[in-house]
Amino acid sequence: MDGRRTPQRSAVMHALASCQDFVSAQELHNRLVENGIRIGLTTVYRALRGLEASGGADVVRDDAGERLYRTRPADGHRHYLLCRACGRSRPVDSDVVEEWAGRIAAATGYAAVEHTVELTGVCTTCQPSGAEGEPPWHWEHAPDTPGRARSCAS
């Protein structure tokens, strides 16, 4: 992470590491404040941006365009399939995407090529039971975003 190592930034890193699913900066801030940590939302955003820049966090966007963060695994960059209803995520095999990006960079001579792949769907838990005559892909969005962080450790 770029910048100084402060107690607040360490708290953000620890809180993010306790989440199994992606979480927004605002959700993470709320969790920190609920646990008695005095920290500003701006500090949380800065810490998350620093983690992203240093390769310590993976980032996806939800259907509203909000950035969601998750600690990057030790084995590096991953792509995820994200549920549009509850926000749960799962890593997916993306070797073909990485190889393709490498070929494009080599063929064009570009350096430091970055890419974003966003895969969304509806997980099996959120899929409707399939009422008669209703298409199987219809679902209702979760009423609020707290479910997105439900897998964070208490």
Side-chain angles (χ1 to χ4, degrees), residues 4-18:
R4 296 178 309 161
R5 180 76 167 219
T6 66
Q8 291 86 359
R9 286 183 180 212
S10 293
V12 169
M13 290 171 55
H14 179 71
L16 186 63
S18 72

Side-chain angles (χ1 to χ4, degrees), residues 12 15-16 19 23-32 44 48:
V12 169
L16 186 63
C19 296
V23 63
S24 72
Q26 292 162 343
E27 290 168 325
L28 200 58
H29 176 257
N30 290 340
R31 179 168 280 285
L32 289 162
V44 173
L48 291 171

Side-chain angles (χ1 to χ4, degrees), residues 61-74:
R61 291 186 187 267
D62 66 10
D63 59 351
E66 182 176 16
R67 297 168 69 84
L68 306 175
Y69 300 86
R70 181 178 183 175
T71 301
R72 181 172 287 174

Side-chain angles (χ1 to χ4, degrees), residues 12-139:
V12 169
M13 290 171 55
H14 179 71
L16 186 63
S18 72
C19 296
Q20 293 177 358
D21 288 327
F22 285 90
V23 63
S24 72
Q26 292 162 343
E27 290 168 325
L28 200 58
H29 176 257
N30 290 340
R31 179 168 280 285
L32 289 162
V33 170
E34 288 170 3
N35 288 323
I37 298 170
R38 296 187 66 180
I39 189 169
L41 182 57
T42 301
T43 301
V44 173
Y45 274 107
R46 281 187 192 131
L48 291 171
R49 293 288 172 116
L51 277 170
E52 177 186 3
S54 69
D58 285 327
V59 180
V60 296
R61 291 186 187 267
D62 66 10
D63 59 351
E66 182 176 16
R67 297 168 69 84
L68 306 175
Y69 300 86
R70 181 178 183 175
T71 301
R72 181 172 287 174
D75 60 351
H77 173 72
R78 290 190 179 166
H79 294 283
Y80 296 88
L81 177 58
L82 189 68
C83 179
R84 289 188 300 264
C86 71
R88 283 196 176 105
S89 62
R90 63 175 288 177
V92 295
D93 178 15
S94 59
D95 290 345
V96 68
V97 172
E98 302 304 326
E99 293 166 6
W100 172 78
R103 284 194 313 271
I104 295 295
T108 61
Y110 276 56
V113 172
E114 297 178 1
H115 63 274
T116 302
V117 176
E118 306 262 340
L119 298 173
T120 64
V122 180
C123 71
T124 56
T125 303
C126 294
Q127 291 175 17
S129 59
E132 190 67 33
E134 185 175 312
W137 57 84
H138 177 77
W139 74 93

